[in-house]
Amino acid sequence: MVNEGKSLSEALLSAKAEGRLTVGVYECAKIMNEDPDSVSFCLLATDDFECDVALQIHFTLIQAFCFDNDISIVRVNDLKRLNALVGGKGQLEDAHCVLITNPAEDSWEDPALEKLHLFCEESRSYNEWVPEITLPER
């Protein structure tokens, strides 16, 4: 799990630097609706104590969409740590869903993202459809 967490952190930071990160449930849904082929990876984040029914319904719909469109998807259970990676202060409530879009055609593939795709594929072979990744401490 440590390697997957490190790969996820690297992929998020790389995507953020390249402008390939979308943060927020509604913003992510909009991207998935308009151009699902541009989405490479989906991340859903909750805190263990969170039990927002509307958010869980959104997550279920996003998961189904990702499965139907062959988009790798994982869960993270530390919203604060994820927010520290992807955004600034004030975005904590919107960081429940994060998308990484595909790199430009003329750029190199992100090795951290490739590791995450392999991890998701391996998890699915064990019937773990939405694996959970723990982000490393900063």
Side-chain angles (χ1 to χ4, degrees):
M1 286 295 253
V2 173
N3 290 337
E4 290 82 15
K6 183 178 178 194
S7 293
L8 181 56
S9 294
E10 290 171 3
L12 288 169
L13 292 174
S14 173
K16 183 179 177 183
E18 296 171 8
R20 299 183 296 114
L21 209 59
T22 302
V23 179
V25 172
Y26 296 108
E27 292 82 357
C28 291
K30 184 177 177 184
I31 294 287
M32 286 191 271
N33 185 47
E34 291 174 357
D35 190 10
D37 293 334
S38 72
V39 179
S40 179
F41 199 79
C42 180
L43 177 66
L44 300 177
T46 60
D47 285 323
D48 289 333
F49 57 86
E50 194 164 4
C51 54
D52 181 348
V53 174
L55 186 61
Q56 294 306 317
I57 291 170
H58 286 298
F59 279 5
T60 301
L61 294 171
I62 289 168
Q63 287 173 19
F65 187 89
C66 289
F67 295 151
D68 287 346
N69 289 279
D70 295 322
I71 298 169
S72 295
I73 182 170
V74 297
R75 278 191 182 259
V76 171
N77 66 355
D78 193 334
L79 192 57
K80 289 181 183 178
R81 199 173 312 159
L82 176 63
N83 189 58
L85 284 171
V86 301
K89 294 177 180 156
Q91 287 186 333
L92 185 60
E93 294 170 9
D94 291 338
H96 288 101
C97 185
V98 177
L99 295 181
I100 299 175
T101 53
N102 293 316
E105 288 184 28
D106 59 344
S107 68
W108 294 98
E109 290 292 320
D110 185 346
L113 199 54
E114 289 301 315
K115 288 179 187 177
L116 290 170
H117 285 302
L118 288 173
F119 170 73
C120 288
E121 188 176 312
E122 184 178 309
S123 295
R124 284 190 297 271
S125 71
Y126 296 115
N127 290 327
E128 187 178 359
W129 297 100
V130 184
E132 188 168 306
I133 294 179
T134 301
L135 291 169
E137 296 289 331
R138 290 193 98 196

